[in-house]
Amino acid sequence: MTAKTPTTGWDQAVFRCGRCGAEHLTTTEADHRQAVSAHSDAHAVWDQLTPIERDGLISILHTILSAPDLALELLVLANRQHLAGGDRQ
């Protein structure tokens, strides 16, 4: 018994960024589009930051991404503050 190989469809693709050299392997077309979009958005944000802002962002991301519960609580807090009309001390 042999497996049928589809004549058309998506197997996998590698996105290689020409700006920074990053590579992303994706296995669906939707994942590929999402990876390319997210990476392009990251470059757009990064390009807007000063070197000092970049250092601060890196520090914040290391802290938040290493603690998912902290990230969730910060989002809840930020949303609460935003809905209340600003920062409260």
Side-chain angles (χ1 to χ4, degrees), residues 11-40:
D11 180 21
Q12 67 180 22
V14 176
F15 164 66
R16 289 181 182 89
C17 178
R19 291 182 64 189
C20 70
E23 292 188 4
H24 297 282
L25 174 67
T26 55
T27 56
T28 68
E29 187 175 0
D31 287 347
H32 186 75
R33 282 193 306 263
Q34 183 178 6
V36 171
S37 178
H39 191 81
S40 296

Side-chain angles (χ1 to χ4, degrees), residues 1 3 6 20 24-25 27 29 32 34 40 47 51 55 62-66 68 70 80 89:
M1 185 176 217
C20 70
H24 297 282
L25 174 67
T27 56
E29 187 175 0
H32 186 75
Q34 183 178 6
S40 296
D47 292 345
D55 288 345
H62 277 292
T63 301
I64 291 173
L65 294 176
S66 68
L70 172 62
R80 221 178 260 145
Q89 303 250 344

Side-chain angles (χ1 to χ4, degrees), residues 46-88:
W46 192 255
D47 292 345
Q48 297 296 317
L49 300 175
T50 68
I52 292 172
E53 291 169 332
R54 289 175 181 177
D55 288 345
L57 178 61
I58 291 168
S59 176
I60 291 166
L61 287 175
H62 277 292
T63 301
I64 291 173
L65 294 176
S66 68
D69 291 341
L70 172 62
L72 180 59
E73 288 301 317
L74 282 170
L75 282 173
V76 169
L77 177 64
N79 286 331
R80 221 178 260 145
Q81 295 295 325
H82 179 72
L83 290 174
D87 290 342
R88 288 191 228 162

